[in-house]
């Protein structure tokens, strides 16, 4: 059974930094796409960043490019998101997602991910 558990969410002031982590069990980091999504109240879930874990190739939403960095740790079996220069618009519940190995599709589309964590809250105050 696959489990993804997020941690690291917190309340910070604008300009601050946070590091989110996603611990995977029953799923091997290095086998397929993993991503971070976020959802703010009243808004749709949106992709933030993804990593093709067999190679480490990354993709980012334009809104976070240059501020967020996604990474993986195959030894710890985790995926991480370093968020710098946080803005109030980054306030949301952040979710870790993973796709089945060798599955395809657009990295930003939620329906291409088969496993989801419960989320960790990030709140940025101005």
């Amino acid at each position: 059974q696959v489990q993804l558990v997020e941690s690291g969410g917190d309340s910070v002031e604008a300009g601050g930094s946070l590091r989110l982590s996603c611990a995977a069990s029953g799923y091997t980091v290095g086998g397929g796409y993993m991503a971070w999504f976020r959802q703010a109240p009243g808004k749709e879930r949106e992709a933030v960043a993804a990593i093709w874990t067999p190679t480490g190739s990354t993709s980012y939403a334009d809104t976070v490019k240059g501020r967020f960095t996604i990474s993986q740790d195959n030894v710890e079996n985790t995926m991480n998101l370093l968020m710098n220069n946080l803005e109030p618009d980054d306030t949301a519940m952040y979710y870790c997602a993973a796709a089945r190995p060798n599955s395809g599709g657009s990295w930003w589309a939620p329906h291409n991910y088969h496993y989801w964590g419960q989320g960790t809250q990030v709140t940025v105050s101005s």
Side-chain angles (χ1 to χ4, degrees), residues 10-52:
D10 206 344
S11 295
V12 297
E13 292 185 349
S17 298
L18 284 174
R19 183 176 182 269
L20 306 184
S21 185
C22 173
S25 59
Y27 183 91
T28 300
V29 174
Y33 262 114
M34 296 187 74
W36 288 97
F37 285 76
R38 66 186 181 187
Q39 187 166 19
K43 294 188 177 181
E44 291 188 356
R45 189 169 295 193
E46 63 173 355
V48 174
I51 187 165
W52 173 238

Side-chain angles (χ1 to χ4, degrees), residues 2 4 22 24 27-37 47-60 70-72 74 77-80 95-117:
V2 175
L4 303 174
C22 173
Y27 183 91
T28 300
V29 174
Y33 262 114
M34 296 187 74
W36 288 97
F37 285 76
V48 174
I51 187 165
W52 173 238
T53 61
T55 64
S57 178
T58 59
S59 300
Y60 295 93
I70 190 171
S71 63
Q72 66 190 81
N74 291 6
N77 215 44
T78 60
M79 179 189 61
N80 307 296
Y95 297 91
C96 169
R100 293 193 188 103
N102 302 317
S103 60
S106 303
W107 69 270
W108 62 83
H111 66 260
N112 288 324
Y113 294 86
H114 308 95
Y115 310 108
W116 292 84

